[in-house]
Amino acid sequence: MPAFDFPLDRTIYSFNNDEPFTIADACEGIQIFGGIGSGKTSGSGEALARSFLTAGFGGLVLCAKKDVLEDWKRYTRETGRAEQVLIFDASGDFVFPFLQYEIEREGEGAGYTENLVRLFTTIYETLDQGSKGEGSDPYWDRAMQQLLRNTIDLCMIARGTVSVPLIHEVILSAPNSIAQVDNNEWKKKSLCWKLLLEGHIKELDQWTQHDFNATGAFWLEEFPNLADKTRSSIVSTLTTMMDIFLRRPFRRLFSEMPDDKRKIAYPELTHRGVIVIVNLPVKEFGEAGRAAQVVYKYLWQQAVERRAATDKTIPVFLWVDEAQNFVTEYDMQFQATARSTRACTVYLTQNLPNYYAVMGGLQSKYRVDSLIGNLQTKIWHANSDPMTNETAAETIGRSWQHHETSGETYSGDSYNVSSSKNESFDYDVPPQMFTKLRKGGAVNDKIVEAIVFQNGRIWNNERTHLFAQFKQYVP
Ligand SMILES: Nc1ncnc2c1ncn2[C@@H]1O[C@H](COP(=O)(O)OP(=O)(O)OP(=O)(O)O)[C@@H](O)[C@H]1O
Ligand SMILES: [Mg+2]
């Protein structure tokens, strides 16, 4: 089979050198669980990462920890893929002016305002994780979206472009009261007012004129009429989020345009086999690193969804270790089309509570279940988290288990040995099994163990789960 063909039934990996794992399997998504130091990264993770690289996939790697970059440099070097690595980091060799990208990219076109609003909602969702209590008010979400929509429309109609600094300044210079709308001092200083004038004198087509009128009404009537407290909370929520992209190094990376020295890190490069590593580790850059990577991931997912895949299309992977940092609602939608777009998502995290903690709100359980349910292959490494272990046992299922019990009784001068057989309907893999799996390292001869489950698959052992071993690579 020529290497440039990627039929769904091509085997790219074998568990235990015996059980094939195909491109189709990979496209259905993989979730790896395991406690700290259980061998997720160096066991099943590394084995699968290498198989994707050897098969010739392109991909996107997000970085929560600093050592992800070194690991991936090693994987790509050892699989002959080093030349296709693009490291998007704080050096500024690559930039990604994402708002400009979204406006200029080829494709459906005019939906950009809504799409940009969704992009910011996704960033907000990520940053707000954890603090999103059960009583989170949908009014705020709607009010924020409305403010964003009107800001983006105003920038686009007046200037034909939009950037984070522009959005930020428009919002900060908007009128705070109806009185201010008539105030000449304010008018002289306000960018918001200036853009309204610029849009006003433009020749607009009928539909754009409608949009502009709606935007004008928002800025000059609705917005200044909001209760002071309401307005200032919405504004500060948005400006806090924008702030991330206004500071070093993110301003340069995400707002500046390319020049001789800086190239754009186009997400579409992965479609040609490039491996983009977004090395802005959360451990180093905090919330800003998280927001920046979520932006890149979201636009990458959309770029993947726009492609029409055939057996000649290079599959792409999304590699997210410590995935609780980067999950978004959009992941579920993305996974739904992953097979037809040839996208292989791999999420690694310690346990289920990690996800519950970040996908807050009333819907938390449904969101997490839906996300994990959509990643069809589950790999469970050693874990001491009861919730994860019980869910794993439950997922694998129950069947009739045969037990043989024997006992000795001493009566008078003789021993009686008795044995009895009984059956019970019980877990195939009981929860406590997951506490006993080998975690690699020298004490385990570098062997990492895991239980693998793939929705709908019966393995060669005629069971729904597979006991798998992985050999750690590095000495
Ligand atoms: N190449 C290697 N050879 C021997 N031991 C290793 C190797 N790589 C990692 N280890 C050890 O194996 C164990 C598993 O490490 P690994 O980093 O894969 O765990 P993990 O599940 O990813 O943990 P975490 O949740 O902290 O990311 C650890 O004890 C680690 O120190
Ligand atoms: Mg790890």
Side-chain angles (χ1 to χ4, degrees), residues 398-403 423-426 428 463:
R398 298 171 204 245
S399 58
W400 287 104
Q401 309 290 327
H402 306 278
H403 308 278
E423 292 195 3
S424 65
F425 195 65
D426 224 333
D428 284 354
R463 290 173 169 268

Side-chain angles (χ1 to χ4, degrees), residues 261-308:
K261 288 193 216 83
R262 293 189 280 260
K263 293 200 198 97
I264 296 188
Y266 284 110
E268 287 84 354
L269 288 168
T270 59
H271 304 183
R272 289 190 245 147
V274 172
I275 299 120
V276 175
I277 304 174
V278 186
N279 188 36
L280 299 165
V282 179
K283 284 265 146 49
E284 188 176 342
F285 294 96
E287 289 287 84
R290 213 142 71 90
Q293 295 190 76
V294 164
V295 167
Y296 199 91
K297 167 178 164 245
Y298 178 76
L299 294 174
W300 178 87
Q301 285 175 319
Q302 293 201 326
V304 171
E305 285 189 316
R306 286 192 295 271
R307 71 186 199 157

Side-chain angles (χ1 to χ4, degrees), residues 34-43 65 321-322 350 439-442 446 448 472-475:
I36 293 171
S38 63
K40 296 181 293 299
T41 306
S42 63
K65 295 180 184 171
D321 207 335
E322 307 290 336
Q350 282 84 18
K439 308 199 287 191
K446 298 211 274 181
V448 171
Q472 290 172 310
Y473 282 81
V474 161

Side-chain angles (χ1 to χ4, degrees), residues 16 98 185 208 222 227 242 322 377 418 433 438 445 451:
N16 299 340
F98 60 97
E185 274 306 298
T208 317
E222 198 169 337
M242 301 286 165
E322 307 290 336
T377 297
S418 66
M433 263 297 289
R438 290 208 270 173
D445 283 339
I451 307 283

